[in-house]
Amino acid sequence: MIVKIFNKVGLKAYIFSFAFSLAVIFLINYCKHHNDWGLNNIFEILVLWTIFTFFTFFVSFLQSRKTKVNLSGIHLLTFPLVFLFFPNGPGLAIFKIIIGLILVYSEYLFIKALFTKYKNKYLFDLTIFISIIVLFNPALSIFYVFPILVVFNQKLYSIKTLIAILFPVLLMPFIFYSLDTLAPYDKFGIENHKLKIQPWRYLDQTYGDWVWFVILAVSIYVTIFNRPKGIEKASAFLFMTIWLYLSLFIGFLGLNLDQERWLLSFVPSAFFFGAFIENIKSDKLKNSVIITAAIFIVIFKLTNFEVF
């Protein structure tokens, strides 16, 4: 059944994951454009599918480079499945993709900063990448909590550590804005994302938002009741937990990303939904949950977009 295919990361799991991702993206695209869907939509589907599969492979690759924290094959299924639950807005801009990739890579750097002897090096790299996403949106400066956690957890109180944190914070804005004449930063979405607050309002929520809240509720449940054992696994879990709660903070205040209020919560939600499936002991029950979730969300998408 489904669970056996994704028991471990391998060629079969990747093939089924990428095929499922293509089906998911096709369905979402068709639902959004069903009134005027045509062959020109195929190119859009293939582009988004390429980006999504690269994103999934990138996450899997980074996890495989860790010594003790391996991404289970089930996550290759839950990433596209959870993407089906996401309340799809007008589309993904390049800066949104960049932010997601950087935060995924930051999780890798965070673990390296905690568990290798080159702590200041990885702390420096981590701070650089956080500084880059802050350029897109000042609200993302709350993600500096990760370098700060490394400092206090590892008791790094030297001058080297101070430089490793402060230098990137000052350097990255200078580099980006001084090179504006060579590569205008507004093309990457930097200039257009000043800090603004648009608080969450109950009456503004769509049916898609309420369905997404179910995934968020499952994710919060996992962060509280399904914490893993082992220091390194717990550290990766901690990173995703903080990422999730920070994304909720930003989302409820409406501090980011145009109409994609919950975009930052996608990756940690996919991670925790995968953990939720993994913690179910019975393979038969796992398959039932996956199939039921898939059937429900497909029917919901088709009816919500008034396909039939």
Side-chain angles (χ1 to χ4, degrees), residues 40-304:
N40 58 313
N41 291 94
I42 294 177
F43 178 74
E44 182 182 344
I45 291 170
L46 291 177
V47 170
L48 184 55
W49 175 67
T50 301
I51 293 171
F52 191 86
T53 52
F54 171 77
F55 196 97
T56 304
F57 179 79
F58 183 67
V59 173
S60 179
F61 172 73
L62 289 180
Q63 297 293 331
S64 69
R65 293 189 64 183
K66 299 173 188 175
T67 56
K68 298 179 182 178
V69 184
N70 294 316
L71 187 70
S72 167
I74 199 67
H75 288 83
L76 294 174
L77 172 65
T78 56
F79 264 76
L81 179 59
V82 171
F83 189 62
L84 257 181
F85 280 82
F86 189 77
N88 306 100
L92 289 178
I94 186 171
F95 81 92
K96 300 174 185 177
I97 298 168
I98 292 173
I99 290 172
L101 288 171
I102 286 176
L103 284 174
V104 168
Y105 189 61
S106 295
E107 189 259 353
Y108 169 77
L109 295 174
F110 177 76
I111 300 300
K112 286 293 185 181
L114 290 176
F115 296 101
T116 66
K117 62 180 180 180
Y118 305 108
K119 299 184 184 301
N120 283 320
K121 173 190 179 301
Y122 286 110
L123 177 62
F124 178 80
D125 293 343
L126 175 61
T127 311
I128 281 182
F129 282 100
I130 298 299
S131 298
I132 291 174
I133 65 172
V134 171
L135 294 173
F136 292 100
N137 189 333
L140 299 180
S141 59
I142 61 176
F143 282 91
Y144 279 123
V145 67
F146 294 117
I148 293 172
L149 276 175
V150 172
V151 170
F152 285 101
N153 182 270
Q154 300 297 304
K155 298 180 180 179
L156 304 174
Y157 305 133
S158 66
I159 298 297
K160 280 186 177 181
T161 301
L162 185 63
I163 293 173
I165 288 183
L166 292 182
F167 190 66
V169 173
L170 301 175
L171 178 66
M172 296 314 299
F174 174 78
I175 290 177
F176 270 80
Y177 295 120
S178 63
L179 295 179
D180 180 41
T181 55
L182 298 177
Y185 48 78
D186 60 308
K187 291 184 178 180
F188 297 94
I190 294 177
E191 186 181 42
N192 296 323
H193 287 84
K194 312 295 183 183
L195 182 63
K196 55 184 178 181
I197 299 178
Q198 297 174 310
W200 180 85
R201 295 192 300 178
Y202 176 86
L203 295 178
D204 291 339
Q205 304 312 297
T206 65
Y207 290 122
D209 290 320
W210 292 115
V211 169
W212 183 245
F213 289 160
V214 174
I215 297 295
L216 292 177
V218 171
S219 301
I220 292 171
Y221 170 85
V222 174
T223 66
I224 298 172
F225 298 106
N226 289 336
R227 297 177 183 177
K229 297 179 180 179
I231 297 176
E232 194 167 334
K233 285 186 177 180
S235 298
F237 190 89
L238 174 64
F239 185 98
M240 286 296 178
T241 300
I242 294 173
W243 181 350
L244 175 67
Y245 287 116
L246 291 183
S247 72
L248 294 179
F249 173 78
I250 290 175
F252 276 109
L253 289 182
L255 296 175
N256 74 311
L257 307 181
D258 302 325
Q259 298 179 46
E260 304 285 2
R261 183 181 289 267
W262 308 112
L263 182 63
L264 284 175
S265 65
F266 167 68
V267 172
S269 294
F271 173 85
F272 288 123
F273 191 77
F276 174 77
I277 297 295
E278 278 189 305
N279 281 303
I280 298 175
K281 295 182 179 180
S282 168
D283 282 355
K284 185 178 294 186
L285 184 56
K286 287 180 182 179
N287 287 321
S288 299
V289 170
I290 292 168
I291 293 171
T292 302
I295 292 174
F296 164 78
I297 196 59
V298 167
I299 294 174
F300 173 80
K301 288 290 183 184
L302 292 173
T303 54
N304 190 51

Side-chain angles (χ1 to χ4, degrees), residues 2-53:
I2 298 173
V3 172
K4 290 184 178 180
I5 297 173
F6 295 95
N7 270 339
K8 61 180 181 179
V9 176
L11 181 60
K12 183 186 292 187
Y14 278 119
I15 291 174
F16 277 89
S17 175
F18 294 162
F20 184 44
S21 299
L22 181 59
V24 165
I25 292 167
F26 176 86
L27 174 65
I28 293 173
N29 185 276
Y30 182 77
C31 287
K32 291 171 66 176
H33 306 286
H34 66 276
N35 289 324
D36 58 351
W37 197 91
L39 293 178
N40 58 313
N41 291 94
I42 294 177
F43 178 74
E44 182 182 344
I45 291 170
L46 291 177
V47 170
L48 184 55
W49 175 67
T50 301
I51 293 171
F52 191 86
T53 52

